[in-house]
Amino acid sequence: MTTTIDPNEVAKFEAMAAEWWNPAGKFKPLHMLNPCRLDYITSQISAQFDRDPADPAPFAGLRLLDIGCGGGLLSEPMARLGATVVGADAAPRNIPVARLHAEQAGLDIDYRLATAEDLAAAGEQFDVVLNMEVVEHVADPLAYLTACQRLLKPGGLMICSTLNRNPKSYVMAIIGAEHVMRWLPKGTHDWSRFITPDELYDLIRQAGLDPVDRKGMVFNPLGWRWSLSARDLSCNYVTASVKQQTA
């Protein structure tokens, strides 16, 4: 299978690998965004699989893939919630960082240097695929999402987040985050690769999944925090889609 990996995009994140667990470092935006992402992820998984998030290990018995896992910012909380977690990333330097941090935290997470296509070709299957802030960095979004669809069991759930493409997202994500606030190195994002919510829904459907929900993730500079919004998808947003049960 032809890979959808863009080597230049992988190199950007590999260069920052040592920064993953520094909340004041180059991944500060993700550390700030993580509670909002986790709120959405846990609510969607709980609804899809009829789990009670108040249980000690609500996701026990679910096999979950965190594709583009980086240093494990999402893999670790999913493991703490009881899921059997595989974290995969195409950047070689990310994997030892993720493994070491999980080991220090006493968590059993299967981290692999692999792509979505690698895992699909090997016949891997998951109840949940977390596909967070990855699709805007791949060479072929449709082929990539199709590989993610192949990785899901029937009835499985994919959570996919990315950035909208409009003037506001250029100001916020490129000028604001990279040039003014300097939260990210310049060139981390390519605005032309951003995907509108309607475009992403169309790609998800073409890949063989049914979109069921989407929300905006909105930053409040006064409260200095992120929150979910049913209406404002103008910059960061997240979607949920399901693979239909076979007859």
Side-chain angles (χ1 to χ4, degrees):
M1 183 182 294
T2 303
T3 183
T4 60
I5 293 299
D6 184 326
N8 293 326
E9 293 295 299
V10 171
K12 291 178 186 178
F13 290 91
E14 187 166 21
M16 299 186 284
E19 297 276 339
W20 275 108
W21 288 98
N22 179 3
K26 293 177 180 176
F27 291 102
K28 180 178 180 178
L30 277 184
H31 283 272
M32 294 169 62
L33 182 59
N34 229 28
C36 184
R37 299 197 300 174
L38 288 167
D39 184 17
Y40 187 84
I41 290 167
T42 55
S43 64
Q44 291 295 321
I45 295 176
S46 297
Q48 178 66 17
F49 297 98
D50 193 23
R51 301 301 177 94
D52 183 353
D55 287 345
F59 301 158
L62 296 178
R63 191 165 191 248
L64 180 147
L65 171 66
D66 182 9
I67 190 74
C69 64
L73 299 188
L74 289 173
S75 295
E76 290 199 6
M78 292 297 104
R80 288 191 178 95
L81 290 169
T84 300
V85 178
V86 174
D89 204 285
R93 291 179 61 193
N94 286 343
I95 298 302
V97 171
R99 284 175 177 161
L100 177 60
H101 198 273
E103 181 180 341
Q104 292 171 338
L107 296 171
D108 182 13
I109 299 173
D110 181 2
Y111 284 116
R112 306 183 193 180
L113 178 62
T115 66
E117 293 87 357
D118 293 335
L119 295 169
E124 295 276 3
Q125 291 276 276
F126 300 90
D127 299 288
V128 180
V129 171
L130 300 186
N131 176 8
M132 310 295 285
E133 288 82 44
V134 178
V135 69
E136 71 270 23
H137 296 289
V138 302
D140 185 337
L142 178 56
Y144 169 71
L145 290 169
T146 300
C148 291
Q149 182 270 143
R150 291 178 59 200
L151 288 164
L152 278 176
K153 299 176 183 177
L157 175 73
M158 180 180 76
I159 309 291
C160 179
S161 63
T162 189
L163 288 143
N164 200 342
R165 188 182 67 258
N166 55 34
K168 180 179 178 180
S169 69
Y170 184 84
V171 171
M172 297 289 288
I174 306 295
I175 296 176
E178 296 184 13
H179 293 264
V180 178
M181 301 302 292
R182 297 183 180 177
W183 283 341
L184 293 168
K186 294 177 182 178
T188 298
H189 288 110
D190 180 347
W191 182 80
S192 67
R193 291 180 179 236
F194 291 3
I195 302 170
T196 71
D198 287 345
E199 288 170 347
L200 184 58
Y201 258 28
D202 185 55
L203 288 167
I204 289 170
R205 290 188 182 100
Q206 289 183 60
L209 297 172
D210 293 335
V212 294
D213 187 72
R214 61 187 180 187
K215 296 282 191 303
M217 295 187 287
V218 180
F219 182 67
N220 180 347
L222 296 178
W224 207 249
R225 67 182 186 89
W226 291 84
S227 60
L228 294 170
S229 171
R231 296 183 178 181
D232 187 354
L233 282 71
S234 58
C235 195
N236 296 73
Y237 68 97
V238 60
T239 67
S241 51
V242 173
K243 185 171 184 175
Q244 290 301 315
Q245 296 278 1
T246 54

